[in-house]
Amino acid sequence: MLYDLIKPHSSVSTVGMCKNAGKTTVLNRLIADCAAAGETIGLTSIGRDGERSDVVTGTKKPEIYVFDGTIIATAEEALPLGDISREILETTGMPTPMGEVAVVRAKSDGFIQLAGPSMTAQLRILKAKMAGFGAERVFIDGALSRKSLAMPAVSDAAILSTGASYSRDIEKTVRDTAHAAALMLLPKTERADLSRRTAAKFTVLTDSDAFGCETAADAADRIRSEKAKLLIIRGGVTDANLEALFSAGKALSGLEAVAEDGSRILVSEKNYSKFLRAGAAFTVLESTKLLAVTVNPFSAYGAHYDKERFLDAVRRAIPGEVPVLDVMKEESYA
Amino acid sequence: MLEARQLADIGFDYVLAGLEPWSPFGEELRRRLKPYGKAERAALLGEFRNISVIAEAFSADPSSFGPLARALMQLKDIRRSLQRSRETTLSDIELFEIKRFLILAGSLDEAYSALPFAGELYGIRIFALPEALDILDPDGMRAQTFRLPDGASLLLSEIRKSRKAVDLALRALPQTAENGAERDRLMAERTNLAAKEENEELRLRGEMTRAFSVYADEAETLIESIGKLDLAAAKARLMLTLGGTVPEILPEGGEKRIEFIDMVNPETDAAIKERGRRFTPVSIALEPGSAVITGANMGGKSVAVKTLALNALLAVCGMPVFAKSAALPLLPDIRLLSEDLEDSRGGLSSFGGEMVSFDRILTAAEERPGSLVLLDEFARGTNPHEGSALVRGAVRYFNEKDDTYALITTHFDDVACLARVHYQVMGLRNTDEAALKAALSSPEAGKAPQELLARFMDYGLFRAGSEVNPPRDALKICRALRIREDFMNKVTE
């Protein structure tokens, strides 16, 4: 099932709402499926500051199981934490807290530890390097943070994993997962000419004019005075930005707010909903494809959810075209 | 020597930033660039010869440097691993990087040998280390990757064979509940073999490291040469780009003079080019004792002094200078005192700070015979009567020191007559007064009078007689700058 979903995409990110959401299980499933299909794959991760102490002290057991021939880009000091037999292909000069990123080829099956670079530009270079060494498809193990949700700059498609470890409150987990999915599903703006026209943090566009604004409050004034229906926001969109925009009041109705991509929208679910209720909508310059949402009803902290109820609730909260899968049913190899 | 902030101010940092070595070794030498000492005269002369020879070849055929550039750009700094090879067992990443370096050393040797100056450069020896490479590449495949070959030991090849078999068995095992125990057994065996492989690889890497470490010294020597070659080539390219030359370093105990013909300051030149003007080249010849520059305000006295400081420093650092020609001794020290750099340090007024710095310069000059001392607008922060006395004192003081080259700029009268050499800036001397007046009354002059004035100003220096006093241009300049009319009337009342 998962393999069919990823098949058309040359690069796929796995993203988790929290630890133990089942992200690694998903990745292992995909690795095994690709191996069964005879594909050579490449693997790396978006830096992993959040897990750094675990990884550095080695208390975290490596969990990703790869097959002979896999191309892996990971930090020098993460190599001895795995147990594959390997061939060193390249050292990249990209720094991480665990040393420089090296590209290696697995010469046996076995476990690896991924610790890739944190900059998207570097990930893009790594993808190309891995392809150069024969990787037909690249998987990027995303970090456990909202910041890396669906980075279109890095991968064409993404799989979002959520689970009971996120919160004891099932409603909260479902709501926040749906919000994350909604951001990843934002449509690409139809105004294809936009990206060239925006240098300012906020640009308010009317049919005839473009107004660059440095603050959200200035943008709100412009939207009101010009009755503008289009706003472009460069970089991150914060709660403070939205709260300032709310001062435009009724003028927000019908407004299209264009963010660079879904990962830049860092607003709370509450403010996001309020923005939509005001009649405004977000679009993005670059979109990613959310292939599936996986759910894990087991909590690492003991407060498990009811399997059927959780699966059902997430299915109802996520738009119908995105499959929602029980991660445990998609059993992994390792 | 000049202080760090002075290096930025005179445009030295700008020139250094224009140096673009291709390898990390050249880059490190660029960052650590420093003046050559008295004992390093031969090395300095050698460096200048290297730069000339490389520049000649480069201007004749830049594309012939392509293979050299490509090899240099791929180099990584492996010196830490070289050091570690003497002490411990290197990791596979380190062995990989050393192997890559040794392969590149081969390409570098080939690229270098093809250049017309190969073997002629002073202090530079580029060579391959095939025996060392053979140690890291026992099967001789010269692949750009690193892995201990199966054949490195019988044990290793056996472990890897067993490991392969277990991997295949695991893959073939259907994932059913009843296979759980077998699967656990195979996984345990896999882990066990992985550990054995790791141990055997560690042992083999230990042997490999020890065998290689014999060549660590040679590799370090090679790296030193690579850095020198890379930096000298970067200097040669910079010299060709910015239009510089290699200075003549006068022999010790021979002629005593500092002479720069048509000097330019590249940073100032770039800045004024943006405003559509050109840097007026400056020529200065000094002998031991005092020389004085007088001339109009805004006439470029300070620029002349900084340009000399820059080029003299470049010369003693083994850099090309930006002049038509240059000759100077190996200066043991260069000192610059300029009031705009003396921001009241340690609670002293700017005048107090200047004098304290001046005192230090006197001591330094005495300690290092043959130094160049540059005083820009010395003592301008005090009353003209005593200021003039201080400057005259400085001129006489350095005249008596036959082993210091002093250059002093001043506004004060009756100073030049004491100096051995007197330069004056052209300033507005040759300006057609009528044309200047007409230009100044044009509407565009109101917007940027400084720019307009700059166009009329001649920044060149000429050698003036010792009896000539500084020109009286201050009021003319005030009018050109459109200082308020009612005020100017009061001045001339």
Side-chain angles (χ1 to χ4, degrees):
Chain A
M1 176 70 189
L2 272 178
Y3 182 70
D4 295 330
L5 291 171
I6 61 131
K7 217 168 167 188
H9 303 283
S10 66
S11 58
V12 178
S13 294
T14 53
V15 181
M17 290 292 291
C18 57
K19 279 193 190 184
N20 300 300
K23 185 165 65 91
T24 306
T25 309
V26 168
L27 191 56
N28 276 326
R29 177 77 258 160
L30 291 169
I31 292 168
D33 286 349
C34 291
E39 279 181 23
T40 299
I41 58 164
L43 283 170
T44 189
S45 72
I46 299 176
R48 41 180 63 212
D49 283 359
E51 290 172 85
R52 190 181 151 196
S53 56
D54 288 355
V55 176
V56 169
T57 55
T59 54
K60 192 176 149 67
K61 193 173 123 244
E63 293 167 325
I64 300 167
Y65 191 84
V66 302
F67 298 90
D68 191 354
T70 303
I71 310 294
I72 299 135
T74 191
E76 218 173 309
E77 290 164 36
L79 282 176
L81 304 179
D83 67 7
I84 53 164
S85 184
R86 61 188 181 242
E87 176 180 21
I88 310 295
L89 302 176
E90 191 176 343
T91 51
T92 62
M94 298 175 190
T96 80
M98 297 183 66
E100 189 178 327
V101 174
V103 184
V104 308
R105 178 183 284 125
K107 300 295 278 185
S108 75
D109 300 354
F111 289 106
I112 58 159
Q113 184 69 256
L114 289 179
S118 48
M119 286 163 61
T120 55
Q122 295 177 332
L123 280 163
R124 241 174 294 168
I125 294 169
L126 273 188
K127 259 166 53 180
K129 282 187 189 296
M130 290 194 281
F133 286 117
E136 299 160 64
R137 195 193 300 283
V138 170
F139 292 105
I140 295 147
D141 192 15
L144 300 166
S145 91
R146 282 283 313 285
K147 270 181 251 159
S148 69
L149 278 186
M151 291 164 128
V154 168
S155 62
D156 318 336
I159 295 171
L160 176 64
S161 298
T162 186
S165 302
Y166 182 76
S167 163
R168 298 176 68 88
D169 177 0
I170 186 168
E171 302 299 333
K172 179 172 169 51
T173 304
V174 172
R175 199 165 56 234
D176 288 355
T177 303
H179 178 52
L183 296 181
M184 293 169 81
L185 284 165
L186 286 174
K188 196 167 168 159
T189 180
E190 285 170 14
R191 302 282 298 263
D193 58 323
L194 290 181
S195 51
R196 284 190 305 277
R197 295 176 47 184
T198 56
K201 171 79 187 167
F202 301 92
T203 308
V204 176
L205 287 152
T206 64
D207 289 339
S208 50
D209 281 309
F211 304 92
C213 305
E214 283 316 306
T215 69
D218 292 347
D221 290 344
R222 274 292 177 197
I223 290 165
R224 210 172 35 217
S225 64
E226 304 293 327
K227 299 191 170 46
K229 293 291 171 232
L230 196 55
L231 166 69
I232 302 166
I233 309 173
R234 280 281 170 206
V237 186
T238 63
D239 276 317
N241 293 156
L242 275 204
E243 277 154 21
L245 285 175
F246 288 142
S247 71
K250 284 196 179 111
L252 288 180
S253 179
L255 177 77
E256 178 185 347
V258 187
E260 286 181 50
D261 65 61
S263 70
R264 308 301 175 107
I265 303 172
L266 310 169
V267 299
S268 66
E269 193 270 333
K270 187 170 145 254
N271 274 328
Y272 185 76
S273 301
K274 188 174 168 191
F275 194 60
L276 298 191
R277 280 201 304 278
F282 271 108
T283 58
V284 289
L285 291 174
E286 268 189 283
S287 68
T288 192
K289 187 159 169 57
L290 179 60
L291 299 176
V293 176
T294 69
V295 296
N296 178 11
F298 295 98
S299 166
Y301 315 106
H304 309 312
Y305 296 161
D306 178 84
K307 211 159 75 178
E308 292 307 321
R309 186 182 156 215
F310 184 41
L311 185 62
D312 195 50
V314 176
R315 275 197 176 132
R316 269 185 285 114
I318 304 275
E321 74 271 17
V322 181
V324 179
L325 311 168
D326 183 339
V327 72
M328 286 310 161
K329 284 186 185 152
E330 295 278 327
E331 232 176 289
S332 85
Y333 183 92
Chain B
M1 272 296 165
L2 297 165
E3 298 163 33
R5 61 205 176 107
Q6 293 184 317
L7 297 185
D9 191 64
I10 63 173
F12 186 75
D13 290 353
Y14 176 88
V15 172
L16 244 52
L19 274 181
E20 291 174 345
W22 287 315
S23 76
F25 310 120
E27 171 56 25
E28 186 181 315
L29 290 184
R30 183 191 75 84
R31 279 200 312 270
R32 294 205 328 232
L33 198 77
K34 60 173 185 17
Y36 282 70
K38 203 175 164 191
E40 297 165 301
R41 165 179 291 273
L44 178 61
L45 296 178
E47 179 72 358
F48 284 134
R49 211 183 63 215
N50 288 353
I51 296 170
S52 306
V53 168
I54 296 173
E56 195 185 324
F58 192 85
S59 63
D61 183 9
S63 67
S64 66
F65 281 66
L68 183 77
R70 276 191 292 281
L72 285 171
M73 279 180 201
Q74 291 180 64
L75 287 172
K76 287 187 72 170
D77 192 352
I78 54 156
R79 281 174 297 179
R80 221 179 93 81
S81 300
L82 292 179
Q83 180 51 35
R84 276 165 47 83
S85 76
R86 300 183 180 104
E87 301 153 0
T88 182
T89 295
L90 296 177
S91 73
D92 52 353
I93 297 266
E94 289 175 301
L95 291 169
F96 163 83
E97 293 198 323
I98 294 177
K99 180 180 169 188
R100 282 287 289 260
F101 172 81
L102 295 172
I103 293 174
L104 284 169
S107 319
L108 200 62
D109 181 34
E110 218 172 282
Y112 178 67
S113 305
L115 290 166
F117 48 77
E120 282 175 34
L121 298 187
Y122 175 91
I124 292 173
R125 204 165 60 84
I126 304 293
F127 51 93
L129 283 160
E131 301 86 0
L133 182 54
D134 284 341
I135 293 167
L136 301 197
D137 186 28
D139 54 9
M141 302 288 283
R142 299 296 185 255
Q144 300 271 357
T145 63
F146 181 83
R147 171 170 166 81
L148 285 168
D150 293 353
S153 80
L154 192 61
L155 182 59
L156 185 68
S157 81
E158 274 170 6
I159 294 170
R160 285 183 179 169
K161 231 176 275 165
S162 312
R163 199 173 170 181
K164 184 100 248 168
V166 173
D167 283 350
L168 292 175
L170 266 168
R171 287 195 216 174
L173 194 70
Q175 297 212 32
T176 54
E178 57 267 31
N179 282 336
E182 173 64 1
R183 189 181 144 68
D184 287 351
R185 190 189 67 76
L186 285 169
M187 283 302 275
E189 195 180 336
R190 194 199 67 81
T191 307
N192 185 27
L193 283 168
K196 275 190 181 157
E197 183 179 0
E198 196 181 315
N199 281 337
E200 179 61 3
E201 282 195 6
L202 179 67
R203 188 186 70 78
L204 290 167
R205 278 191 280 115
E207 279 181 4
M208 194 176 257
T209 303
R210 277 186 298 281
F212 167 77
S213 65
V214 176
Y215 296 93
D217 288 354
E218 270 192 84
E220 280 168 351
T221 309
L222 173 62
I223 283 173
E224 234 171 86
S225 270
I226 292 173
K228 281 190 204 160
L229 168 65
D230 188 16
L231 188 65
K235 290 176 184 175
R237 296 196 304 280
L238 183 73
M239 181 169 92
L240 295 171
T241 321
L242 293 181
T245 186
V246 157
E248 180 191 353
I249 299 295
L250 299 170
E252 205 175 355
E255 231 184 321
K256 287 186 172 179
R257 64 184 171 103
I258 297 176
E259 186 169 11
F260 284 89
I261 309 290
D262 287 347
M263 269 188 295
V264 171
N265 186 319
E267 183 173 27
T268 314
D269 185 37
I272 61 179
K273 249 186 203 139
E274 270 180 23
R275 281 176 270 154
R277 291 188 283 117
R278 277 189 49 240
F279 190 96
T280 310
V282 182
S283 300
I284 293 178
L286 302 179
E287 49 195 87
S290 296
V292 165
I293 304 181
T294 60
N297 296 80
M298 299 183 71
K301 293 192 297 293
S302 295
V303 171
V305 164
K306 284 171 185 169
T307 302
L308 177 61
L310 168 69
N311 283 292
L313 181 62
L314 287 170
V316 297
C317 287
M319 288 283 291
V321 296
F322 301 97
K324 258 213 189 87
S325 74
L328 71 165
L330 207 182
L331 301 170
D333 201 359
I334 300 167
R335 298 277 172 158
L336 169 62
L337 183 63
S338 89
E339 201 201 8
D340 55 337
L341 291 175
E342 300 302 316
D343 48 14
S344 45
R345 275 183 277 181
L348 290 167
S349 69
S350 58
F351 176 72
E354 185 187 13
M355 287 306 137
V356 170
S357 299
F358 179 61
D359 184 61
R360 274 202 294 267
I361 288 175
L362 293 182
T363 308
E366 181 145 307
E367 283 168 3
R368 284 178 216 106
S371 295
L372 172 61
V373 171
L374 303 160
L375 308 177
D376 188 21
E377 301 279 14
F378 181 53
R380 78 166 163 195
T382 191
N383 65 75
H385 181 69
E386 287 175 295
S388 172
L390 283 164
V391 180
R392 290 157 57 89
V395 171
R396 281 199 302 261
Y397 180 90
F398 288 114
N399 272 343
E400 283 165 22
K401 303 253 155 208
D402 251 358
D403 47 18
T404 304
Y405 301 87
L407 179 63
I408 302 166
T409 73
T410 188
H411 282 296
F412 297 132
D413 289 348
D414 305 323
V415 172
C417 55
L418 301 172
R420 298 231 167 119
V421 181
H422 177 206
Y423 285 98
Q424 204 159 67
V425 291
M426 292 284 189
L428 298 175
R429 161 185 298 268
N430 296 330
T431 305
D432 177 349
E433 298 254 351
L436 178 61
K437 227 174 199 163
L440 287 172
S441 53
S442 74
E444 61 145 343
K447 284 179 226 140
Q450 308 91 309
E451 287 295 314
L452 188 85
L453 187 61
R455 262 188 271 145
F456 281 90
M457 192 68 82
D458 184 341
Y459 294 95
L461 290 182
F462 70 97
R463 212 151 166 166
S466 58
E467 74 295 345
V468 179
N469 265 328
R472 299 280 182 259
D473 277 342
L475 296 187
K476 212 192 276 180
I477 286 164
C478 288
R479 287 210 187 80
L481 290 173
R482 299 200 152 193
I483 305 302
R484 278 178 71 114
E485 195 67 34
D486 50 351
F487 166 73
M488 291 309 294
N489 290 340
K490 276 278 172 290
V491 175
T492 44
E493 219 168 66

